[in-house]
Amino acid sequence: MKVKKYVVKDVREAMRMIKEELGDDAVILNTRKIKKGGFFGLGAKTYFEVTAVVEDENKNKKVEKPKAVSREDIYKLQEILMKNRMSRQMQSQPSGISPSPMIAPPSRSVEEELMKIKDMISELKSMVVSGKNEMPPGIRTVVNGMRRQEIDNDVITKVTEYLRITYGDVDPEAKEFKYKLAEYLVPFIKTEEANLSGRILFVGPTGVGKTTTLAKIAAKLKLELKKSVAILTFDTYRIAAADQLKTYASIMDIPIRVAYTPQEAGMALNAMIDYETILMDTAGRSQKNDIQMGELKVIVDMVKPDKIFLVLGMNYRLLDVKEIIRKFKMVNPTHVILTKMDETSSYGHFINVPLHSDLPIIYVTNGQRVPEDIFEANSVELSKILANGVLENV
Ligand code: GDP
């Protein structure tokens, strides 16, 4: 496995370099923004650090054509076979009888046998080569694009089978194909229109963007939809988190309470009974920490939320996403919010997350700005973004 980091000005540049250097089978592991240059942070330029991996270097090497077997090779092989046969005969002969020093000329049957073996070898080699090339070139490009987008392997197989059966091969550069692919991907992307009334609890790993996303949704409810909304936070691990939320709440003129104990939470909820929506923030939980997860379960049992939004980062690896989903299942989330779309160029999680959680995506966030950087998830729109990603740089 070969892992390589690229620092580039734009992600497309990295994709091109990765394709050139690591080949079509390379997969992007991570993309993050970094600042370089400048003086004490001033004038620093934004770059992307893209980490790519390719499983097996040999995969990218050209498949060598079977080397033709020359007549000399055949005679050499025949000679070896004859020597072997003679030495075996010598061992089995009674002692005292010396074998003939002359090597007998190769019999016709040995030559025929060798030719047969030669044919078999080249047939096997051609099977390997055609096996590799079996995938029509257009579809192979699409498959590589889906891998770059880190779409779940089972879905890649389904899409590939569908394309092969329906089209034989495809032209990945054709505009109509992009529409067709997007259309086909729609059912794999489960989304739901957000109904934001009642008690809504935000859960998820640390730093994923729960507090920021809650503030964005609070602003939408209060300023755009003119709804009555209140905030309750349990994020008492980080002093800054509650302060940050208090600042947002005071700017938007939204009441906010901080609960340190279950009794305080109960009192706060009673005081907020007249509000149409109560958005509740929790401290980030590490899915690996069972105590933290247990505490979260206590909060859930206590506040009895109407909805639980599991917040997941688009920049997480699929393996981590699966583990987070598995661990947070204990609090029965009802919806998913995907954050930090702006920090990645792979959008496979639009499919992977509903597939592994069986939950619909309701929002996607794409930046740090409150309240602008959020949009409602819509499977048709998300499928277009994903299809664009799959067919980028073809
Ligand atoms: P929490 O620990 O889950 O509550 O996460 P926070 O809301 O405190 O966010 C952690 C960091 O992620 C902050 O610096 C946010 O500004 C940032 N953040 C949140 N959402 C996004 C997003 O959509 N894109 C980017 N680039 N950053 C985000």
Side-chain angles (χ1 to χ4, degrees), residues 31-180:
T31 306
R32 66 184 185 103
K33 273 186 190 163
I34 54 167
K35 296 258 185 208
K36 268 179 71 174
F39 185 68
F40 281 97
L42 292 173
K45 288 196 174 133
T46 304
Y47 289 83
F48 288 92
E49 186 192 82
V50 182
T51 311
V53 63
V54 68
E55 252 179 25
D56 178 8
E57 280 185 339
N58 294 328
K59 270 188 185 170
N60 299 317
K61 287 187 184 159
K62 282 191 181 137
V63 180
E64 279 180 19
K65 281 191 181 162
K67 204 178 143 198
V69 180
S70 67
R71 264 200 109 61
E72 287 76 47
D73 293 335
I74 294 171
Y75 284 126
K76 263 185 217 154
L77 273 167
Q78 285 172 337
E79 212 171 16
I80 293 165
L81 278 174
M82 288 305 292
K83 274 184 183 165
N84 275 346
R85 195 173 290 174
M86 282 174 65
S87 76
R88 261 186 276 126
Q89 275 171 0
M90 255 171 61
Q91 282 163 13
S92 61
Q93 266 171 3
S95 55
I97 303 171
S98 57
S100 157
M102 204 181 73
I103 293 172
S107 72
R108 183 93 199 124
S109 68
V110 173
E111 196 171 342
E112 271 170 14
E113 262 178 47
L114 280 165
M115 292 311 281
K116 259 192 213 161
I117 293 169
K118 187 192 147 197
D119 284 346
M120 274 164 65
I121 290 171
S122 56
E123 197 182 315
L124 276 171
K125 283 196 174 175
S126 81
M127 273 167 73
V128 173
V129 175
S130 70
K132 271 214 135 193
N133 294 335
E134 212 182 357
M135 185 99 67
I139 292 185
R140 188 160 178 77
T141 306
V142 180
V143 169
N144 287 335
M146 289 194 286
R147 285 201 191 128
R148 277 196 304 273
Q149 289 297 307
E150 294 179 23
I151 295 176
D152 187 278
N153 273 333
D154 287 348
V155 177
I156 294 184
T157 309
K158 271 190 197 145
V159 178
T160 312
E161 274 172 15
Y162 165 77
L163 294 178
R164 294 195 65 162
I165 291 166
T166 317
Y167 304 107
D169 196 7
V170 297
D171 175 6
E173 286 177 42
K175 232 180 182 171
E176 315 85 73
F177 176 67
K178 196 182 276 184
Y179 297 138
K180 282 191 177 130

Side-chain angles (χ1 to χ4, degrees), residues 205-212 216 238 244 340 342-343 365-368:
T206 322
V208 70
K210 289 181 295 301
T211 309
T212 316
K216 289 173 184 174
R238 294 180 306 154
Q244 183 193 347
K340 308 196 182 184
D342 54 308
E343 287 193 357
T365 77
N366 55 352
Q368 293 179 294

